[in-house]
């Protein structure tokens, strides 16, 4: 059943729809089932890539489990990912990416204005990048076709992977939830930094499919379109397909 986007904001939309490419799959975030579910999925994805070593496959499983674990800890509404293994002369090339949908609430003593949030994010990016050798990143205001103005934050950051920093291309899209102090954040990332621009195009296409759903249809029933299109309620985490 569709839940309200917040527990205190009348008139806020109840759900959302978000479309992913056919090659993407939804990560199981349930602590009771996610480890086994992710292992089965990764094993299935690499069946056609026997050139991957057992150690490489296990590393993919551990990384995906970490992403699911962190997404659940953050209260993610959903998390989706893709994995593709390409043959290359020097060995297999692994392409991977994830998009996590998060909901954040702006504290009452802070401005919830989109431009203010984007400006603050830009200042934080510049400070965080100092001394790292990484580019400072980019923040901008863009329009989504079904939503209007949103914030977009792009950067390269080091993500800890078993004690080793791994450069990762990150793009976050901040979507204001109408009639509330809440935002939905589409947090997308890929370790394939050399292909960051291509992955950013994919992340943007996913974001451009986003739309809010009305709280209920004419008869007062929850609109099933959110689930059918890969979205879900914004008051609790999706349970997975």
């Amino acid at each position: 059943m569709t839940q309200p986007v917040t527990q205190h904001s009348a008139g806020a939309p109840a759900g959302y729809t978000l479309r992913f490419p056919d090659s993407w799959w939804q990560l199981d975030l349930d602590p009771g089932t996610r480890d086994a579910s992710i292992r089965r999925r990764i094993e299935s994805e690499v069946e056609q890539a026997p050139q991957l070593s057992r150690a490489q496959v296990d590393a993919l499983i551990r990384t995906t489990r970490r992403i699911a674990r962190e997404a659940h800890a953050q209260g993610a509404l959903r998390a989706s990912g893709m994995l593709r293994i390409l043959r290359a002369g020097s060995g297999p090339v692994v392409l991977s990416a994830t998009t996590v949908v998060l909901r954040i609430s702006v504290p009452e003593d802070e401005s919830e204005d989109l431009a203010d949030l984007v400006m603050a994010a830009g200042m934080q990016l510049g400070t965080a990048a100092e001394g790292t050798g990484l580019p400072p990143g980019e923040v901008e205001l863009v329009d989504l076709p079904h939503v209007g103005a949103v914030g977009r934050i792009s950067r390269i950051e080091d993500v800890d992977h078993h004690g080793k920093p791994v450069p990762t291309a990150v793009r976050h899209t901040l979507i204001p939830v109408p009639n509330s102090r809440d935002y939905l954040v589409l947090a997308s990332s890929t370790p394939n930094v050399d292909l960051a621009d291509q992955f950013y195009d994919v992340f943007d296409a996913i974001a451009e499919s986003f739309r809010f759903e009305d709280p209920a249809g004419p008869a007062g029933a929850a609109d099933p379109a959110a689930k059918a299109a890969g979205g879900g309620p914004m008051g609790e985490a999706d349970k997975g397909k």
Side-chain angles (χ1 to χ4, degrees), residues 60-94:
L60 286 172
I61 292 172
R62 288 194 301 270
T63 297
T64 307
R65 284 174 173 173
R66 174 183 57 78
I67 292 170
R69 183 172 61 251
E70 292 176 354
H72 180 268
Q74 293 173 321
L77 301 180
R78 72 168 292 161
S80 296
M82 60 81 63
L83 175 64
R84 187 177 179 187
I85 296 91
L86 303 179
R87 294 180 180 273
S90 58
V93 176
V94 178

Side-chain angles (χ1 to χ4, degrees), residues 31-115:
T33 59
R34 67 186 175 214
D35 282 358
S37 173
I38 288 171
R39 173 174 288 278
R40 287 194 301 270
R41 184 70 196 209
I42 297 295
E43 296 281 5
S44 174
E45 292 287 334
V46 302
E47 278 183 356
Q48 304 304 317
Q51 67 270 35
L52 282 184
S53 68
R54 184 69 250 174
Q56 288 173 308
V57 175
D58 288 343
L60 286 172
I61 292 172
R62 288 194 301 270
T63 297
T64 307
R65 284 174 173 173
R66 174 183 57 78
I67 292 170
R69 183 172 61 251
E70 292 176 354
H72 180 268
Q74 293 173 321
L77 301 180
R78 72 168 292 161
S80 296
M82 60 81 63
L83 175 64
R84 187 177 179 187
I85 296 91
L86 303 179
R87 294 180 180 273
S90 58
V93 176
V94 178
L95 304 180
S96 64
T98 57
T99 292
V100 176
V101 183
L102 303 167
R103 186 187 64 213
I104 62 173
S105 294
V106 180
E108 292 291 340
D109 59 346
E110 297 181 13
S111 172
E112 80 275 21
D113 181 75
L114 176 62

